[in-house]
Amino acid sequence: MDPLMIAMIVALVLSVVMHEMAHGYAANWLGDPTARLQGRLSANPLVHIDPLMSVILPGLLILSGAPFVFGAAKPVPYNPYNFTNQTWGEAI
């Protein structure tokens, strides 16, 4: 595996984990502790891995020689009814 492909995989994992952590921190900041109570505010990639979208799909794209790599993580759960600041709501 060439260094560019390894760099793309590392960038994909880091970006997906940071993205989902941002969702959880935004919900926590607005007053919803759901993600925090479920341990989803972690930088550990294992917490955010979805077998199909995080492993199988990117693996198939890499093995097929696709010009792009796409992946996703488990969505961070939140309950908008717990938000204390309803001014912006889900827009944050």
Side-chain angles (χ1 to χ4, degrees), residues 12 16 45-62 69-75:
L12 176 68
V16 167
L46 298 177
V47 174
H48 302 284
I49 287 181
D50 177 30
L52 177 64
M53 295 297 289
S54 299
V55 179
I56 296 173
L57 179 63
L60 287 175
L61 290 172
I62 290 169
V69 177
F70 177 79
K74 282 193 272 185

